């Protein structure tokens, strides 16, 4: 499971002209799922995201987490995170899990993050053509792969 995490001062998701998610201070999480992902990947990654110290403390040092600042989150499914560009110029998405595997894992990921944060997490819509807007605060962008726990 791969996540691109962006600290935002605001973010939103629009589908077919309708805003379906909107937050101010928080994290925009783009999540890519592969067939090998399990509930262990979900538990590890959601715990990491909830406790990731990327927000400024009283000295403006990145030392506080989403939990500490009571921030919000938007989770957006993004199969293109697992694109392979090894051959040619057209990416291959063969590594990305198909919807029958990805959708239950995506829903479980959102539910587990809600449990970790103690609040609702907003989402895009799996498989939809989404317009994602954000103001990346910092900018702070972190990539985490549950298969590479460095």
């Amino acid at each position: 499971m791969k996540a691109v995490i962006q600290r935002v001062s605001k973010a939103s998701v629009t589908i077919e002209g309708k805003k379906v998610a909107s937050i101010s201070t928080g994290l925009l999480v783009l999540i890519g799922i592969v067939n090998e992902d399990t509930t262990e990947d979900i538990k590890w990654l959601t715990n990491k995201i909830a406790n990731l110290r990327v927000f400024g403390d009283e000295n403006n040092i990145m030392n506080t987490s989403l939990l500490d600042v009571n921030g919000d989150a938007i989770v957006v499914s993004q199969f293109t995170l697992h694109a392979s560009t090894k051959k040619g110029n057209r990416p291959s998405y063969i590594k990305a899990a198909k919807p029958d595997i990805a959708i239950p894992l995506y829903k479980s990921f959102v539910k587990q993050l809600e449990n970790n944060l103690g609040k609702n997490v907003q989402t895009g819509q799996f498989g939809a053509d989404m317009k994602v807007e954000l103001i990346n605060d910092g900018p702070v962008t972190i990539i985490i792969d549950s298969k590479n726990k460095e």
Side-chain angles (χ1 to χ4, degrees), residues 25-118:
T25 301
L27 296 176
L28 172 66
V29 180
L30 307 174
I31 190 80
I33 298 168
V34 294
N35 289 333
E36 298 77 24
D37 288 329
T38 67
T39 56
E40 288 307 310
D41 293 288
I42 291 169
K43 288 178 186 174
W44 182 84
L45 189 52
T46 56
N47 184 57
K48 184 66 80 173
I49 290 168
N51 292 288
L52 199 61
R53 297 182 339 188
V54 294
F55 293 91
D57 63 13
E58 62 277 354
N59 298 313
N60 206 26
I61 295 171
M62 286 196 289
N63 203 26
T64 58
S65 69
L66 190 60
L67 284 165
D68 296 327
V69 300
N70 196 28
D72 292 310
I74 297 177
V75 176
V76 175
S77 63
Q78 190 165 1
F79 71 92
T80 60
L81 292 180
H82 290 288
S84 172
T85 57
K86 187 175 181 178
K87 295 193 310 188
N89 293 318
R90 183 171 152 177
S92 168
Y93 305 108
I94 198 160
K95 291 181 184 176
K98 301 289 184 251
D100 60 322
I101 293 172
I103 291 172
L105 288 170
Y106 172 74
K107 288 180 178 179
S108 182
F109 179 91
V110 171
K111 190 61 144 172
Q112 183 63 50
L113 187 58
E114 287 178 334
N115 289 342
N116 290 1
L117 296 175

Side-chain angles (χ1 to χ4, degrees), residues 4-23:
V4 174
I5 301 148
Q6 296 176 297
R7 183 180 76 183
V8 298
S9 54
K10 70 179 186 177
S12 65
V13 177
T14 302
I15 301 171
E16 296 179 1
K18 182 180 178 208
K19 195 172 282 190
V20 298
S22 180
I23 63 170

Side-chain angles (χ1 to χ4, degrees), residues 137-150:
D137 184 17
V140 174
T141 302
I142 296 172
I143 300 169
I144 301 177
D145 189 335
S146 66
K147 303 297 190 227
N148 187 15
K149 298 178 175 113
E150 292 184 347

